[in-house]
Amino acid sequence: MGKYLSIGQMGKLNNLSVQTLRHYEKVGILNPSYINEETGYRYYSMKDFNTIDLIKQCKALGLSLEEIKEVTNNYTSLESIVEILGNQKKLIAEKIKELENIRNKVESLENKIDFSLNQGINNIFIKYNEERKFIQYNFKDRFSDEFEINLRKILLEVERDYENVNAEIAFTVSYDDMGDEGYTEYKNVMINLGENIDYKDEKIISMPKGNYLTMYFDDTYRDSGKYYKIIMDYIKSNNIKTKGDFNEIYIMTRVGSDGKEKSLGQIEIRLL
């Protein structure tokens, strides 16, 4: 029995718990070299060190236990190992692409928030925009329950068709119907999926490039009307010539622990 190690000794020498070694036995990637039939005690031999080293190496490569089992059961077949490593390389490439996509979205959101803070909340300025594409849906009555349900359906479609859960929500607001008190008449809702997106939808509209009179606000969306009053007063007092309707675009919405909602948004209108 001197050439055998108990399960506890094997665990300590390889920085593994007894539970882990028992699990490895259960899934069939490392069986004890000897089991005492009377006591049920498990014992391991020196050759099991090599198997544990292989398991650790495979785990470091990100292989699943099922894949590790295939490696350990076919350790003499280099072709089998190459095939498994090739599949793992493909999975890693997919994960890298997914993480790069997440990183780009994080950077985009970070840049937009930083830009709004640098320009100043509630500060009116001129911003140049490149051409932007939106999916447009023609339904109004923004503050109704029906609108919220329709909007939720749209976002589910976007998540399904474009694998996008961070789409910007935007609205077209009638300039001609804008009242003195900032009354907002919403003409439609739009979804911006971001740059470099291959749009599949037929309901695509393009916002032309050019200079836009712009103002960021950080408030509840139901209070956006007061910001329209500010920007309309600015347009009239400075005799500014505009073209088309307002765009109301939401960058980020959050809800505090008190249940109150707040959104970082922007109101813009194209300049002649």
Side-chain angles (χ1 to χ4, degrees):
M1 291 292 293
K3 62 180 179 181
Y4 290 114
L5 298 170
S6 70
I7 190 170
Q9 291 173 319
M10 196 65 170
K12 288 180 180 179
L13 288 171
N14 291 280
N15 197 26
L16 297 172
S17 68
V18 171
Q19 290 79 7
T20 297
L21 289 173
R22 290 188 184 279
H23 185 63
Y24 286 171
E25 179 186 357
K26 183 179 179 180
V27 299
I29 63 173
L30 177 62
N31 294 316
S33 294
Y34 169 72
I35 300 176
N36 188 307
E37 294 182 358
E38 295 182 1
T39 63
Y41 290 167
R42 268 79 172 148
Y43 295 94
Y44 296 83
S45 66
M46 302 300 171
K47 70 177 179 62
D48 294 322
F49 287 154
N50 294 327
T51 303
I52 289 178
D53 290 342
L54 178 60
I55 292 171
K56 286 184 175 182
Q57 187 178 18
C58 289
K59 289 190 70 176
L61 294 172
L63 299 184
S64 67
L65 290 181
E66 190 63 32
E67 290 169 326
I68 294 174
K69 179 179 179 181
E70 188 172 344
V71 171
T72 56
N73 289 346
N74 298 279
Y75 70 97
T76 59
S77 173
L78 292 176
E79 291 80 7
S80 175
I81 294 174
V82 167
E83 181 180 355
I84 291 171
L85 292 177
N87 292 333
Q88 185 64 12
K89 189 167 66 173
K90 291 178 182 178
L91 289 175
I92 292 171
E94 291 174 1
K95 289 179 181 178
I96 290 173
K97 184 178 179 180
E98 181 181 348
L99 288 172
E100 286 180 343
N101 187 33
I102 293 172
R103 183 187 63 185
N104 291 338
K105 290 177 180 178
V106 168
E107 288 181 349
S108 176
L109 180 58
E110 180 185 31
N111 291 337
K112 288 176 181 178
I113 294 174
D114 279 344
F115 184 83
S116 69
L117 292 173
N118 290 333
Q119 291 296 326
I121 304 299
N122 304 341
N123 181 43
I124 299 173
F125 64 100
I126 296 175
K127 180 175 183 285
Y128 178 82
N129 294 318
E130 295 290 349
E131 181 185 23
R132 293 164 291 170
K133 291 183 178 180
F134 287 76
I135 307 174
Q136 180 175 281
Y137 300 85
N138 294 316
F139 58 87
K140 311 174 185 179
D141 199 11
R142 183 186 177 194
F143 301 110
S144 68
D145 292 340
E146 182 181 3
F147 178 92
E148 291 297 332
I149 291 173
N150 286 332
L151 180 59
R152 187 55 45 188
K153 290 179 180 178
I154 288 173
L155 294 175
L156 285 175
E157 288 178 6
V158 168
E159 183 177 345
R160 179 197 65 206
D161 296 341
Y162 295 93
E163 298 181 355
N164 192 316
V165 295
N166 295 306
E168 284 185 351
I169 302 171
F171 304 89
T172 303
V173 178
S174 174
Y175 176 86
D176 293 334
D177 295 333
M178 185 68 63
D180 293 335
E181 298 302 319
Y183 171 75
T184 50
E185 179 69 26
Y186 292 92
K187 299 172 66 173
N188 51 55
V189 62
M190 303 176 291
I191 302 295
N192 179 14
L193 300 179
E195 301 175 358
N196 303 320
I197 299 296
D198 183 18
Y199 283 82
K200 311 167 189 175
D201 206 290
E202 297 179 353
K203 301 184 286 291
I204 301 300
I205 65 165
S206 293
M207 287 187 187
K209 64 181 179 181
N211 290 320
Y212 287 75
L213 195 66
T214 305
M215 181 176 69
Y216 289 100
F217 65 92
D218 191 32
D219 206 341
T220 62
Y221 72 90
R222 290 184 178 274
D223 289 336
S224 62
K226 63 187 180 184
Y227 301 103
Y228 281 96
K229 184 178 186 312
I230 295 172
I231 200 169
M232 283 294 291
D233 289 343
Y234 184 90
I235 290 172
K236 291 177 181 179
S237 63
N238 291 278
N239 195 28
I240 295 174
K241 303 299 181 182
T242 63
K243 182 177 181 178
D245 293 316
F246 286 102
N247 300 317
E248 184 178 323
I249 304 173
Y250 285 88
I251 299 167
M252 182 181 186
T253 298
R254 67 258 192 216
V255 179
S257 57
D258 56 0
K260 293 182 179 179
E261 181 183 294
K262 209 171 185 182
S263 298
L264 172 62
Q266 71 184 70
I267 297 171
E268 64 177 29
I269 189 166
R270 190 180 174 200
L271 297 176
L272 278 175

